[in-house]
Amino acid sequence: MSRRTRGQPKVLIVDDEPDLLELLEMTLSRMGLDTSRAESVADAQRQLDAQSFDLCLTDWNLPDGEGLRVVEHITQKALDVPVAVITAFGSAENAVAALKAGAFDYLAKPVALEQLRALVKQALKVPEKPQPAASPHHRVQRGHAYAVTGTPPRTSAGST
């Protein structure tokens, strides 16, 4: 169940680079999404505790710590917010750490806008164009991490 029940989906963008924040805000706004900015781990945690979000995108390196702390905060508080880590310092070790902490995806900078849009659409289940309904095993399951390849987990025919 989503934490927000009506209105535009809201995305928290956590990054300390003003140019990237602006680019992400413009991109997400053109997708019909509402955005909020946080420029530190502490600010992100404060906003996550005070408001409901449908998605969180966080940088790895922030002035007051690692974005991984934002992921851990969401997990520890059992917030129903999928979170993706975006970083210029990508490594397999960091990707694994982010996924283990509860992130559903991990992207290396520079982020291609097409890749970002696909990630957001998967996380929020926003259709690109009117399409036939997708089967349940082709949707992102909130609270379940899947591989960096983006392959969702398979479900058995009788499970719900």
Side-chain angles (χ1 to χ4, degrees):
M1 175 185 290
S2 175
R3 296 180 67 208
R4 290 173 53 88
T5 56
R6 49 187 147 149
Q8 291 178 305
K10 189 164 188 173
V11 181
L12 177 61
I13 305 167
V14 187
D15 203 304
D16 60 331
E17 296 177 42
D19 291 342
L20 184 59
L21 278 170
E22 187 174 337
L23 176 65
L24 292 173
E25 281 183 323
M26 285 190 315
T27 301
L28 297 177
S29 140
R30 288 181 182 157
M31 293 176 70
L33 306 173
D34 188 16
T35 61
S36 288
R37 289 181 176 203
E39 295 183 18
S40 68
V41 171
D43 187 19
Q45 291 173 337
R46 226 177 352 266
Q47 288 193 52
L48 286 160
D49 289 342
Q51 303 176 54
S52 294
F53 291 95
D54 297 291
L55 175 63
C56 177
L57 304 174
T58 185
D59 188 14
W60 184 276
N61 286 328
L62 295 162
D64 60 342
E66 292 181 341
L68 192 59
R69 289 179 41 209
V70 174
V71 178
E72 290 167 346
H73 181 82
I74 289 169
T75 302
Q76 289 168 357
K77 297 273 186 162
L79 302 177
D80 187 17
V81 181
V83 58
V85 177
I86 302 172
T87 184
F89 304 97
S91 72
E93 183 179 299
N94 287 354
V96 169
L99 293 172
K100 282 184 177 180
F104 82 93
D105 212 338
Y106 180 92
L107 299 174
K109 290 180 185 175
V111 176
L113 292 183
E114 185 175 308
Q115 185 181 20
L116 175 68
R117 286 185 197 105
L119 177 147
V120 170
K121 287 175 184 176
Q122 283 182 329
L124 299 177
K125 301 174 189 155
V126 177
E128 288 183 42
K129 297 176 183 172
Q131 303 174 359
S135 64
H137 66 275
H138 289 292
R139 297 184 190 141
V140 171
Q141 301 293 316
R142 287 190 177 196
H144 297 283
Y146 57 89
V148 176
T149 61
T151 305
R154 294 284 176 186
T155 58
S156 60
S159 67
T160 54

